[in-house]
Amino acid sequence: MSSTQKLHVLFACSEAEPLAKVGGLGDVAGALPAEIMRTAGEQVDIRLIIPFHAVIKQKNPPVGLIGSFPIKTKAGQLLCDLYVTDLDGVITYLLDSDGINHNSPVYYGDASLDGRKYAQFSVALLEAMRFIDWQINILHANDWHSALAVYALKDLYQADPFFIHTKAILTVHNLPYNGFGADAAMTDLGFTPCRDPDLPDWARLTPLPLGLAAADRIVTVSPGYAEEILTPDYGCGLDGFLRLHQEKLSGIVNGIDLEKWNPETDEYIGHPYSIDRLHSKQLNKLDLQRELGLEMNPELPLFTVVSRLDFQKGIGLIFDAIPDLAHQNWQLVILGTGAKELEERARDIAAAYPHKIISIQKYDDVLSHKLYASGDIFLMPSLYEPCGLSQMIAMRYGNIPVARATGGLKNTIIDFYASPENATGFLFAEKSAEGLKNALESALNVFKNKQIWYRLQRNAMSADFSWRRSALQYLQIYQELSQNSI
Ligand code: ADP
């Protein structure tokens, strides 16, 4: 590639906000490619590709049909339709076919149906680039749903001149999701089991490990998580493989949408505020206390949780720790739904402390803004956390996190005891209710000292959680890979 040619990057993902969002992956694909495009200017042409999910069709965004092309299967061929739209200035391709989409949900929640959908998506997205004759320098895949596109470059297209210069990055957002159940679909598409002796046997027809094996670079969504997955505790059976290939592994922390999450301009809160107008934050707390029927007292420390009620999030530790603090004055509001057992425990504990604890079991974006804005202390005792967005949002609202020192939480929160002057929150290491209880007690004590608490809030609210930081680091990797490929 000459120096005047733009680097072609295809960013492949299963979801992208606002077209389709199920979780944090949608946030990333909705924001990162656009930020990379703005940051890189003329150097990079980055485009996005996602399946044309039913939920996108229902929204009826302006799309243009580019055309139809086939992909080969054992039974013959599968016809795919390629559409194009725009997402925040990024050319975005939508892939459709009976197999990929079939008016399906983003995820079926069924291993073999999802396996088939995303195995076909992974092959079709490469064929789509051939169809439009757009040669890619970098394929940037995300999680197991597009990991097979990375493996396809080595297994199906190794000798194909069209992909001869294509390098691949695989970003891992959540290692335990391997894409089990795709083997039948893979065989049908002509994939062969990977013979890499470094992989465990169970991984030879499993999308995520195959992507890891084939990728030129592996990125996790925080340096902390990149270290942790090298250990048996966090490595999901792939730690041995990852230790052998550490040289291609690194971590880049995600960003948050600084316009959506801005206490100065937030339309969902009654009293916008900034570092210099923190008294308005207390008015938001009074509003929330009134709305939820809690005692209206701005001096009471308000604990908040905005989370999926999932075991990964360490929600059980909260229910175990909180009764030991019941003698102290505080309030707790938990917003989240998820595992039945945890929902039940949330209901039980709210019933046991009706004047202190409220559990709201729904997904409510507006209410989440109110909780971030009115809370004093944000609980996030995750057992593991590849990156985590909620703690960054909370800090932006001066809602000080008490979190487990794991993964991205370790990289985004500066612990009070490690660096009191620069601190933005409280971290604890133990995976136990005792650890959380001690950290909460520390936070409650420091909360009493208005001056020190203000310093924590000021530090937290001025931390840089922009996507630009992540974009610059990804660009660096794109440049390194492209130099090696030419
Ligand atoms: P994960 O992606 O593992 O669920 P993150 O911390 O990365 O966790 O992102 C969680 C996102 O989902 C945050 O934006 C948070 O505000 C939002 N969220 C979680 N639960 C709820 C809920 N019940 N209502 C509204 N927003 C929620």
Side-chain angles (χ1 to χ4, degrees):
M1 196 182 70
S2 80
S3 57
T4 52
Q5 244 179 328
K6 284 188 177 190
L7 199 66
H8 289 184
V9 181
L10 184 67
F11 193 98
C13 200
S14 51
E15 46 179 294
E17 199 192 25
L19 293 169
K21 175 180 163 177
V22 176
L25 202 51
D27 289 307
V28 177
L32 181 60
E35 192 59 43
I36 289 174
M37 184 187 71
R38 283 191 287 269
T39 307
E42 287 304 300
Q43 296 171 49
V44 172
D45 183 353
I46 183 166
R47 304 183 185 185
L48 173 66
I49 190 160
I50 61 173
F52 200 172
H53 301 291
V55 67
I56 306 179
K57 289 180 181 154
Q58 283 152 20
K59 287 182 188 153
N60 201 18
V63 297
L65 175 66
I66 296 179
S68 305
F69 62 92
I71 59 171
K72 282 191 218 118
T73 66
K74 283 251 162 71
Q77 59 180 35
L78 179 76
L79 205 61
C80 302
D81 298 323
L82 186 66
Y83 295 81
V84 66
T85 187
D86 172 281
L87 203 158
D88 200 7
V90 174
I91 294 174
T92 299
Y93 298 111
L94 302 167
L95 251 183
D96 197 12
S97 83
D98 272 0
I100 296 166
N101 175 267
H102 202 58
N103 289 327
S104 60
V106 177
Y107 310 112
Y108 288 95
D110 174 288
S112 76
L113 290 177
D114 281 327
R116 191 169 61 104
K117 173 172 177 169
Y118 286 106
Q120 291 179 356
F121 171 64
S122 295
V123 173
L125 69 91
L126 294 175
E127 285 299 338
M129 294 304 103
R130 191 203 304 281
F131 177 61
I132 59 168
D133 196 22
W134 195 68
Q135 244 176 328
I136 44 181
N137 303 103
I138 312 272
L139 169 67
H140 187 161
N142 290 274
D143 274 355
W144 77 266
H145 319 98
S146 46
L148 281 181
V150 179
Y151 182 55
L153 290 173
K154 294 271 161 70
D155 188 37
L156 304 180
Y157 297 106
Q158 202 171 26
D160 190 322
F162 190 77
F163 296 108
I164 205 85
H165 291 304
T166 306
K167 296 280 177 179
I169 302 182
L170 177 58
T171 296
V172 179
H173 301 258
N174 210 337
L175 190 68
Y177 296 90
N178 278 267
F180 294 113
D183 35 351
M186 289 178 64
T187 307
D188 188 43
L189 288 163
F191 282 101
T192 54
C194 181
R195 286 194 296 269
D196 186 335
D198 297 344
L199 276 179
D201 280 342
W202 59 263
R204 302 200 180 283
L205 268 179
T206 308
L208 186 74
L210 294 178
L212 297 176
D216 298 291
R217 294 288 290 268
I218 302 167
V219 178
T220 60
V221 286
S222 69
Y225 195 53
E227 277 169 29
E228 285 173 348
I229 61 175
L230 299 174
T231 66
D233 267 4
Y234 295 86
C236 305
L238 293 167
D239 46 294
F241 172 84
L242 291 165
R243 280 196 300 276
L244 289 170
H245 297 277
Q246 273 186 64
E247 75 293 341
K248 63 175 183 179
L249 173 66
S250 59
I252 297 178
V253 169
N254 287 331
I256 55 171
D257 182 337
L258 299 179
E259 279 173 33
K260 177 176 177 190
W261 302 110
N262 183 352
E264 286 188 64
T265 54
D266 194 326
E267 289 172 2
Y268 297 140
I269 61 176
H271 310 276
Y273 61 94
S274 61
I275 300 177
D276 306 321
R277 282 186 291 125
L278 272 171
H279 58 277
S280 293
K281 183 172 169 62
Q282 298 214 334
L283 301 177
N284 289 304
K285 189 190 321 189
L286 283 171
D287 281 358
L288 188 80
Q289 288 169 329
R290 185 185 309 109
E291 189 177 330
L292 300 180
L294 287 166
E295 180 191 337
M296 287 176 63
N297 178 353
E299 297 302 321
L300 276 180
L302 174 61
F303 295 137
T304 46
V305 177
V306 180
S307 177
R308 290 183 289 121
L309 297 189
D310 188 289
F311 293 93
Q312 176 205 331
K313 301 288 178 184
I315 300 292
L317 300 185
I318 300 176
F319 304 137
D320 293 339
I322 220 75
D324 284 347
L325 297 171
H327 58 284
Q328 300 204 39
N329 269 334
W330 44 259
Q331 295 168 333
L332 165 63
V333 181
I334 305 167
L335 173 64
T337 59
K340 290 281 157 290
E341 184 190 325
L342 294 172
E343 287 186 352
E344 203 173 302
R345 287 196 70 190
R347 277 194 296 272
D348 287 350
I349 201 157
Y353 302 95
H355 305 297
K356 283 174 113 75
I357 303 180
I358 305 271
S359 161
I360 305 162
Q361 304 198 346
K362 58 179 174 177
Y363 190 95
D364 187 332
D365 195 36
V366 175
L367 196 52
S368 78
H369 283 250
K370 293 182 181 176
L371 257 66
Y372 286 120
S374 32
D376 298 300
I377 297 170
F378 190 80
L379 277 58
M380 200 156 170
S382 307
L383 303 183
Y384 79 95
E385 193 60 73
C387 178
L389 300 175
S390 311
Q391 82 282 10
M392 293 192 264
I393 301 170
M395 284 186 269
R396 186 144 165 80
Y397 283 79
N399 190 345
I400 300 303
V402 169
R404 238 197 104 233
T406 181
L409 296 171
K410 234 172 17 186
N411 295 128
T412 52
I413 299 169
I414 303 173
D415 177 40
F416 182 74
Y417 292 102
S419 179
E421 288 297 319
N422 305 310
T424 57
F426 297 82
L427 289 171
F428 66 98
E430 312 80 9
K431 252 186 211 175
S432 69
E434 187 67 15
L436 173 61
K437 188 193 90 179
N438 293 338
L440 286 174
E441 272 177 339
S442 302
L444 286 172
N445 276 332
V446 177
F447 182 77
K448 291 179 192 141
N449 185 323
K450 291 230 165 6
Q451 229 177 338
I452 301 183
W453 196 257
Y454 174 67
R455 191 172 67 212
L456 272 163
Q457 288 182 304
R458 197 187 50 209
N459 292 343
M461 291 175 78
S462 43
D464 178 6
F465 296 126
S466 67
W467 274 111
R468 193 177 171 79
R469 279 187 333 162
S470 328
L472 283 166
Q473 293 174 68
Y474 275 112
L475 273 170
Q476 166 91 29
I477 296 181
Y478 294 169
Q479 298 296 357
E480 285 167 15
L481 285 180
S482 67
Q483 274 153 21
N484 292 341
S485 77
I486 314 300

